[in-house]
Amino acid sequence: MRLNDLALGGLSATLGTALLVASLRLPGVRGQEFGAGFYPALIGVLTIAAGAGLMLTGLRQRGVPALRLPGWFTDGWAVANAAILAGAIAIFGAFGETIGFLPFAVVLLFVIQWRLSIPAPRAALIAVLGAIGFQLLFGKLLRVPLPPGLFEGLL
Amino acid sequence: MDAVLLAFEHVFSPGTLLVIALASCLGIIIGAMPGLTAVMGTALLVPFTFFMDPVPAIAAIVSLSAMAIFAGDIPSALVRIPGTPGSAAYCDEAYKMTLKGEPWRALGMCMAASSIGGVFGTIVLIVAAPTLALFATKFSSPEYFWLSLLGLTCAAFLAVGSPLRGLLALLLGLFLSAVGIDIATGITRFAFGSTELMGGVDFVPALIGFFAIPELVRLVTSHAETRPKVPKYDGMFRGLGRDVWRYKRQILRGNIVGTLIGALPGAGADIAAWVSYALSRKLSKQPEKFGTGHVEGLAEASASNNAALGGAWVPTIVFGIPGDSITAIVIGVLVLKGMEPGPSIFIKTPDLIYAVFIVFILANLLMVPLGWMVIRASRHILSVPRGTIAAFILVACIIGSYAINNALFDVGLMLAMGALGWFMEENDIPVAPAVLGLVLGKMVEFNFVQTMMKGEGDPLTLVARPIAGILAAVVIGLWLFTAWQAVRRRPAHA
């Protein structure tokens, strides 16, 4: 997802302005010259300046589209894989406690391998062994309290 | 002397030696796998270091990064795919040697030069760091303010193609460092009502997201399944001593250039290798042989990228200013362990510093036997399917982000930072300045506010002390130089 310089500069300047406005709204502290908003406001101003610089460069560019999607965006298989990647992280972030690490890891290891052309029986075997390995390493050896989820009471 | 003995005791304890061995093996595998970088490996290692004492934690990072940078040469030479960006500079040269039937000679030279370079960088670190630290004890908040600004300036402007994009990355990192409770005023900034964000953007999930997710996106969206044909191992020590002796001057020059570039904040092993390879070609008596499978450039550039690793530690442990992305991670780890890098670390925990020196030497010496083993096993390592690598890295990213605070929020944070990192890479915005900004942001703000408060709001306080004045002049000079160059060049894209 590549923006041309004009669009990237515009986006940066807009975000810089939003940061500046939000920083100026932060409360000051009595008796202190520099409140909590000073530093982020400075970052906001510099972001606006950098964005303006990019926009100026962008104005000199001819024939560069504002937005160019990566080649794989037209490839259904690749888009599905990227969606699985992002979706899996989001699902664990949202429902990790309910699902539990071990069942989640087995499914994820299997799906990713299978999607990337590893035969299903082999992918399944590696997924189960790999997930158990992660569980033992983090759950037992490093004592990270991994959410048991569906395996509550079994682990 | 007690500190040195204590350091030996730390390093040669069975636990630390085991950590060094495991991290070295992991580093070699990560480096040898095309597409997986030393920085990504280090980022994934951080959650493990959380459960270790400071010495094994740092030892793990040193060993992994040194091995990964060397091992990146293996797929470069055998299948023309650089294992890490540090090997890209001489990838073609090494592969041409393979085509000429000399893959093991190329890899032997890479291994020997990497090991020598790594040891050289460490010797410079051992000599320079304590001297500079003594000098740095005279520093106060204005000096640290300018020094961190110098580090950030170098990272944003010198090491990347586009200064404006480098600046944007840096500002993003600085903004992320400003999220959460402001130490000086106690006011919460940009937490959007989230209690998790009140403590700030956690370094580890951000790091994993920035470095690992874009790599994963590349792995899962590419159709290219590499099943490389690796030639049969045929011995690599034959003639190696003669080659090393013949190119001793090039190796020495690579060591010096690599260490100097490594010490420059923001410029790491990859830039060192590119510069050294170009220098080797320029100064060679046989420049026409470069590009045809000539071992001379390999000797200089592979010595350089490993020397850069040691060099990058000089500003890191002396001033707390990271030399590259890996040392930015080291600073984060040290802070997680309750230790502030800087000259005081030499006084408070000298044993830790000596332990770092010992580990560096040990890791670079271990490179020879481990390198030999992995080169022999390269046929098997390079045939691990991409799907298995991607699946395991993804689970490691998720569990690594979760394990730091045992919080699912951090998994979401890692995803958000990963999306940001991917967008940045798509738009040629470098990720390293953002990470440096995240690490150094609080230090810049704290030293700025403290200096201004000392001077009752007078901005001249920032340059009132002589060293601060000199550093300020260097920083402003760099800004003006970069602006002048940008205006003069008028590039097609900024």
Side-chain angles (χ1 to χ4, degrees):
Chain A
M1 191 189 282
R2 189 177 173 92
L3 300 176
N4 69 10
D5 284 359
L6 189 63
L8 184 63
L11 177 68
S12 306
T14 308
L15 292 175
T17 309
L19 177 59
L20 178 64
V21 172
S23 305
L24 293 176
R25 284 186 184 164
L26 286 169
V29 177
R30 191 188 291 263
Q32 264 187 238
E33 293 257 355
F34 301 96
F38 177 78
Y39 178 68
L42 192 63
I43 297 171
V45 169
L46 288 171
T47 308
I48 295 168
L54 273 173
M55 286 171 78
L56 280 177
T57 319
L59 286 173
R60 287 199 296 267
Q61 290 174 334
R62 292 277 177 269
V64 183
L67 174 69
R68 229 175 343 165
L69 296 173
W72 58 264
F73 262 53
T74 52
D75 178 348
W77 173 85
V79 172
N81 285 354
I84 289 170
L85 170 75
I89 302 172
I91 286 171
F92 189 73
F95 307 108
E97 294 287 353
T98 318
I99 304 167
F101 173 75
L102 196 58
F104 173 81
V106 171
V107 174
L108 183 59
L109 285 169
F110 172 76
V111 170
I112 297 284
Q113 291 188 90
W114 176 66
R115 290 285 306 172
L116 293 174
S117 311
I118 292 173
R122 193 172 150 198
L125 180 67
I126 295 173
V128 172
L129 293 177
I132 293 172
F134 274 115
Q135 176 76 37
L136 290 175
L137 181 62
F138 280 88
K140 300 289 175 198
L141 195 68
L142 300 176
R143 297 185 183 281
V144 176
L146 296 171
L150 300 172
F151 288 175
E152 179 83 66
L154 295 173
L155 293 171
Chain B
M1 197 60 197
D2 285 350
V4 177
L5 289 176
L6 196 58
F8 270 100
E9 208 174 292
H10 286 320
V11 175
F12 289 95
S13 70
T16 311
L17 289 176
L18 182 68
V19 164
I20 291 174
L22 290 176
S24 298
C25 293
L26 188 65
I28 270 191
I29 292 168
I30 284 174
M33 298 267 190
L36 308 186
T37 62
V39 182
M40 193 203 79
T42 312
L44 287 178
L45 189 70
V46 173
F48 291 95
T49 63
F50 189 66
F51 302 93
M52 299 174 192
D53 287 333
V55 171
I58 299 300
I61 293 176
V62 169
S63 313
L64 183 140
S65 54
M67 297 296 171
I69 295 286
F70 151 66
D73 297 347
I74 297 171
S76 285
L78 298 180
V79 291
R80 203 176 170 230
I81 306 170
T84 65
S87 304
Y90 47 93
C91 177
D92 268 338
E93 196 75 68
Y95 186 64
K96 292 262 169 67
M97 286 187 72
T98 300
L99 293 181
K100 279 167 61 179
E102 298 180 319
W104 313 116
R105 183 183 174 209
L107 283 173
M109 176 53 95
C110 289
M111 184 192 68
S114 296
S115 181
I116 295 169
V119 172
F120 183 92
T122 311
I123 292 169
V124 172
L125 176 68
I126 293 170
V127 174
T131 319
L132 283 172
L134 198 66
F135 177 63
T137 51
K138 294 173 188 148
F139 287 12
S140 178
S141 57
E143 285 83 7
Y144 276 110
F145 168 72
W146 287 111
L147 207 55
S148 21
L149 216 52
L150 178 65
L152 295 175
T153 302
C154 289
F157 293 155
L158 295 189
V160 293
S162 158
L164 281 176
R165 282 174 158 75
L167 180 62
L168 273 184
L170 174 61
L171 292 167
L172 172 71
L174 292 176
F175 164 69
L176 292 175
S177 79
V179 172
I181 296 174
D182 174 33
I183 312 164
T185 59
I187 292 166
T188 306
R189 301 184 294 203
F190 317 117
F192 305 105
S194 154
T195 45
E196 286 91 348
L197 279 179
M198 281 170 75
V201 172
D202 202 299
F203 170 70
V204 178
L207 196 70
I208 294 175
F210 271 137
F211 287 114
I213 297 298
E215 302 276 354
L216 275 171
V217 172
R218 256 194 301 275
L219 277 173
V220 301
T221 56
S222 156
H223 281 277
E225 178 64 85
T226 46
R227 288 274 178 180
K229 283 182 187 157
V230 177
K232 197 169 177 286
Y233 178 74
D234 187 25
M236 64 178 192
F237 290 104
R238 211 178 315 126
L240 179 61
R242 191 189 57 221
D243 274 347
V244 170
W245 182 251
R246 188 170 172 194
Y247 296 112
K248 57 185 181 298
R249 206 148 21 115
Q250 285 80 352
I251 292 174
L252 179 66
R253 199 166 52 213
N255 291 341
I256 296 168
V257 170
T259 309
L260 289 175
I261 291 178
L264 196 69
D270 45 346
I271 293 169
W274 281 107
V275 171
S276 284
Y277 183 76
L279 201 65
S280 184
R281 184 176 204 155
K282 200 176 169 70
L283 301 177
S284 172
K285 285 176 186 158
Q286 301 168 304
E288 73 285 353
K289 284 195 173 177
F290 278 69
T292 64
H294 187 42
V295 77
E296 186 177 351
L298 292 189
E300 187 154 345
S302 54
S304 179
N305 60 15
N306 270 76
L309 280 183
W313 278 70
V314 176
T316 307
I317 54 176
V318 175
F319 305 118
I321 311 290
D324 59 4
S325 306
I326 291 174
T327 43
I329 298 173
V330 168
I331 290 195
V333 170
L334 286 174
V335 172
L336 277 176
K337 302 274 170 211
M339 302 161 89
E340 284 289 337
S344 61
I345 207 168
F346 284 79
I347 298 157
K348 287 182 193 162
T349 48
D351 52 314
L352 177 79
I353 298 299
Y354 293 126
V356 169
F357 297 159
I358 298 165
V359 169
F360 252 109
I361 299 273
L362 200 61
N364 282 296
L365 294 179
L366 260 180
M367 199 180 282
V368 176
L370 283 179
W372 172 70
M373 278 158 58
V374 81
I375 287 168
R376 290 203 67 153
S378 51
R379 186 194 293 256
H380 305 291
I381 293 174
L382 287 169
S383 65
V384 175
R386 189 165 45 97
T388 306
I389 298 169
F392 275 78
I393 290 178
L394 178 55
V395 174
C397 288
I398 292 172
I399 200 169
S401 308
Y402 173 82
I404 290 297
N405 299 314
N406 305 327
L408 290 171
F409 175 84
D410 287 342
V411 177
L413 181 66
M414 183 264 291
L415 177 62
M417 294 298 129
L420 203 55
W422 174 75
F423 176 81
M424 288 167 76
E425 285 202 1
E426 284 282 304
N427 286 279
D428 291 339
I429 300 172
V431 172
V435 173
L436 256 61
L438 177 61
V439 171
L440 291 179
K442 284 213 187 308
M443 182 174 162
V444 172
E445 183 182 11
F446 176 77
N447 286 313
F448 175 77
V449 172
Q450 202 181 43
T451 309
M452 295 306 279
M453 282 166 79
K454 274 184 203 165
E456 293 173 350
D458 180 7
L460 286 176
T461 321
L462 287 168
V463 290
R465 289 159 56 97
I467 302 172
I470 293 167
L471 287 169
V474 172
V475 171
I476 292 164
L478 271 173
W479 290 349
L480 294 175
F481 174 73
T482 309
W484 175 70
Q485 273 210 323
V487 170
R488 205 183 53 148
R489 271 195 221 142
R490 285 181 169 247
H493 81 88

